[in-house]
Amino acid sequence: LPFEPGQVWYYTGGPHGAWEREAAWAALDFAPSTNISGCAVSEDWAVAAAAGLVLRSEHGVVVLDLDGDGREQTGWSLLYLHVADAGRVEAGTFLLEGDLIGHPSCEGGTATGTHLHLARKYNGEWMLADGPLPFTLSGWVARAGTKPYQGALLKDGQTVLACPCASKETLLSR
């Protein structure tokens, strides 16, 4: 998962558009647990879900190239969106799984609350979160709902349903 061990975050968005509303349902949303609503930079850290080279780090976006060839169009890459400018990792940095990416915010794109939007690409194409190779994070497997942002994460017989309500039923820990 894209947050530090011992942390508890909310699963606020099931599979939905990776970049635009009508794009492939490749993205998942996670929000740090806080009592602050709306848009504010979180004190919590988003972390690298896998090792890789930071290709881009600007305007709320961080792109992590997992094969390290320096090209977003080949192999796997992860896109992190809504990463605050302050504390955001610099392009050109090689990260190990769990290394710090930056703080969730509302920066870069449309957001109504502080969260982290995470999507993946393979050879430059968005990969469906609930496709032939489902998005799997720390053993949690993404399943889409019937509408964007709905869906669940499943692991070892447990199911966590996505909800922007950030209720106790949407909590995940690592």
Side-chain angles (χ1 to χ4, degrees):
L1 291 165
F3 50 89
E4 294 181 289
Q7 294 287 310
V8 177
W9 283 37
Y10 297 105
Y11 180 45
T12 57
H16 63 280
W19 193 250
E20 296 174 348
R21 246 181 209 280
E22 302 303 320
W25 290 7
L28 304 173
D29 288 346
F30 302 92
S33 56
T34 180
N35 293 331
I36 301 169
S37 62
C39 289
V41 176
S42 174
E43 293 181 10
D44 291 335
W45 287 94
V47 300
L53 176 66
V54 178
L55 294 182
R56 291 191 282 142
S57 181
E58 59 189 2
H59 310 296
V61 173
V62 172
V63 174
L64 190 58
D65 173 25
L66 303 189
D67 66 9
D69 69 356
R71 294 177 36 145
E72 203 172 328
Q73 301 81 6
T74 60
W76 288 97
S77 61
L78 293 175
L79 174 122
Y80 295 76
L81 180 59
H82 307 305
V83 180
D85 181 54
R88 188 171 54 229
V89 66
E90 292 184 16
T93 305
F94 186 84
L95 299 175
L96 297 175
E97 182 179 330
D99 283 352
L100 305 178
I101 296 273
H103 299 283
S105 70
C106 290
E107 291 180 32
T110 304
T112 58
T114 301
H115 72 285
L116 181 71
H117 173 98
L118 182 65
R120 63 196 179 141
K121 289 182 181 180
Y122 183 71
N123 289 339
E125 299 288 331
W126 296 115
M127 295 297 294
L128 296 175
D130 181 10
L133 297 171
F135 211 155
T136 304
L137 296 158
S138 302
W140 291 96
V141 179
R143 292 290 179 245
T146 57
K147 295 179 182 176
Y149 296 94
Q150 293 180 345
L153 289 175
L154 304 139
K155 179 181 179 179
D156 299 330
Q158 299 174 66
T159 301
V160 176
L161 297 176
C163 181
C165 61
S167 68
K168 67 179 182 175
E169 292 81 16
T170 65
L171 288 173
L172 286 170
S173 62
R174 184 178 162 217

